[in-house]
Amino acid sequence: MRIITTEDFSDIYIKIHQRGLPFVLSKFNINAFKRTQSAFNNGNLKTANFWIIPDVRKRWNRLITGDENQLYEDYLTKNYFKDKTNLKLISLGSGVCSHEIRLAELRPDWEVHCYDFSDKLLQNAAKSAQEKKLNNISFFAENVITYNFEPQRYDIVFFHASLHHFDKMDDFLKNVAVKNLKPGGYLIINEFVGNNRLQYSQEQINYINKAIDLIPKKFRKIFKTGLYKNSYSGSGVLRMIAADPSECVDSISILPAIHRYFNVIEEKPYGNNLLQSALKDIAHHFVNEDAEKKEILERVFDLEDEFLKTNKSDFVFGIYQLK
């Protein structure tokens, strides 16, 4: 376990430039819930995280759906729920709800309920749903840990990049996710399932640095700073807890807990073991791609594929049915 690293100090400096000093100071709030909330309340923040790169998204689509142009929401509704009508879906920790809105668009006969503690994100989501004239999706600003849900109300429980923010995974799935489901109900995840608090192995850190070395310096200038990304030393636990106490708090337990209560219908690992850290804060260079940038990304993708031959994927897409 890494308590504090050089990465932590550079990340603080970068956050000041990218998100402002008030955001960094908010991390000194003694209330852990408030620190977590501050990490999510700004829905309009411009970042340079790896997920903004079009070729990264195409890679996800290919590894999950088999088609780089097919989103997983389309894949789900066409392959697994084509003949299942009038379903009720609950999303826990829905955030900006972009995936839930997509599902509501694809299946107007479904009823979609989005729960998140960030009222600001939900307000933005509700506005987007209204613009699309959707009347089958609703938004609830609640703490799902303490909220008193009606048992066995839903056919599907859905998590996109939110399940890894919940602690005591086995208890959470049993007491919240499972209780919300009707008998034979479904769980759908698209999640980080790697080590708690991003405590990567030394081998993984070495590979992340190999990936950074593949990127020419002109594409390593860090977003909104004059710094260059030259290496990666891993995240320290103290900064992780200060920045967001919920981040990857029990992520390593996600798949074992799911397998305890659910049968696997489909489980697709799709990596990001190197991409998430190597491209963090420099992804903006690769949004507008050309032949040179495409070749660089392909080399980084090949390196990640090499790493994944002998290591478990940090990200998984899965469809499961209640035992």
Side-chain angles (χ1 to χ4, degrees):
M1 181 180 292
R2 299 172 181 87
I3 304 301
I4 192 166
T5 70
T6 55
E7 194 75 23
D8 298 331
F9 293 102
S10 62
D11 192 74
I12 292 170
Y13 177 84
I14 292 165
K15 286 292 190 295
I16 290 173
H17 283 266
Q18 292 180 351
R19 305 189 68 165
L21 184 60
F23 170 79
V24 174
L25 293 177
S26 73
K27 299 307 175 182
F28 292 93
N29 194 314
I30 196 170
N31 187 311
F33 180 80
K34 291 293 184 182
R35 297 203 307 276
T36 296
Q37 197 172 43
S38 73
F40 294 95
N41 263 344
N42 191 343
N44 299 313
L45 179 71
K46 292 184 178 180
T47 66
N49 281 309
F50 76 117
W51 58 75
I52 69 173
I53 300 174
D55 267 6
V56 168
R57 289 179 173 272
K58 288 179 182 179
R59 173 180 166 85
W60 298 348
N61 292 341
R62 177 173 53 80
L63 292 174
I64 294 172
T65 73
D67 181 350
E68 67 175 25
N69 296 310
Q70 185 177 50
L71 300 174
Y72 79 79
E73 296 91 347
D74 301 69
Y75 176 75
L76 270 175
T77 53
K78 289 178 181 178
N79 290 279
Y80 290 99
F81 297 97
K82 182 179 180 180
D83 300 320
K84 296 185 183 296
T85 60
N86 302 312
L87 298 184
K88 290 185 177 181
L89 178 149
I90 183 171
S91 175
L92 301 173
S94 55
V96 296
C97 306
S98 57
H99 305 279
E100 294 81 357
I101 288 172
R102 177 64 180 159
L103 289 169
E105 284 184 288
L106 289 168
R107 296 303 302 262
D109 60 307
W110 288 11
E111 185 177 340
V112 179
H113 289 179
C114 300
Y115 281 80
D116 197 277
F117 64 70
S118 175
D119 54 345
K120 291 183 180 179
L121 294 184
L122 293 179
Q123 287 169 13
N124 291 337
K127 182 179 179 182
S128 178
Q130 187 177 29
E131 290 171 352
K132 294 176 180 290
K133 298 181 180 180
L134 297 174
N135 57 16
N136 62 328
I137 185 167
S138 303
F139 308 92
F140 305 89
E142 302 285 352
N143 184 338
V144 302
I145 299 294
T146 57
Y147 188 74
N148 187 24
F149 291 102
E150 178 186 335
Q152 297 187 358
R153 184 180 180 186
Y154 295 96
D155 302 283
I156 300 172
V157 172
F158 178 79
F159 296 94
H160 180 100
S162 59
L163 185 55
H164 69 271
H165 286 280
F166 294 102
D167 197 4
K168 300 177 181 176
M169 190 54 57
D170 192 281
D171 288 343
F172 173 75
L173 282 177
K174 180 174 64 176
N175 297 324
V176 179
V178 171
K179 278 190 176 180
N180 266 302
L181 282 173
K182 297 175 183 178
Y186 298 90
L187 171 70
I188 298 169
I189 70 165
N190 194 329
E191 280 293 335
F192 175 84
V193 297
N195 288 345
N196 295 350
R197 306 292 188 193
L198 303 182
Q199 294 301 291
Y200 300 147
S201 68
Q202 189 58 53
E203 181 189 11
Q204 185 166 350
I205 289 175
N206 291 342
Y207 264 84
I208 291 168
N209 282 303
K210 288 181 183 180
I212 293 170
D213 288 342
L214 292 173
I215 302 171
K217 184 176 180 179
K218 62 182 178 180
F219 299 131
R220 287 191 275 111
K221 189 173 183 180
I222 294 172
F223 187 58
K224 288 189 175 182
T225 77
L227 301 178
Y228 287 85
K229 191 182 189 86
N230 297 317
S231 64
Y232 176 80
S233 60
S235 297
V237 170
L238 285 180
R239 180 181 60 84
M240 291 288 296
I241 294 173
D244 179 2
S246 74
E247 185 64 60
C248 308
V249 61
D250 195 22
S251 50
I252 197 68
S253 301
I254 289 176
L255 290 183
I258 287 175
H259 295 159
R260 186 170 293 113
Y261 298 107
F262 294 86
N263 292 315
V264 177
I265 296 177
E266 182 172 301
E267 200 169 75
K268 294 279 188 70
Y270 64 100
N272 295 328
N273 297 52
L274 311 187
L275 304 184
Q276 177 168 243
S277 301
L279 295 170
K280 179 186 176 184
D281 295 320
I282 61 172
H284 58 296
H285 295 291
F286 297 94
V287 172
N288 299 315
E289 296 167 351
D290 56 28
E292 181 187 12
K293 294 175 184 177
K294 205 170 188 67
E295 184 179 344
I296 293 165
L297 287 174
E298 286 301 324
R299 290 201 297 267
V300 174
F301 294 163
D302 288 345
L303 185 66
E304 178 163 280
D305 289 338
E306 177 187 311
F307 179 80
L308 290 171
K309 287 179 182 178
T310 54
N311 292 275
K312 292 182 179 179
S313 172
D314 276 348
F315 282 72
V316 163
F317 168 80
I319 310 168
Y320 310 89
Q321 188 167 28
L322 191 62
K323 290 181 178 179

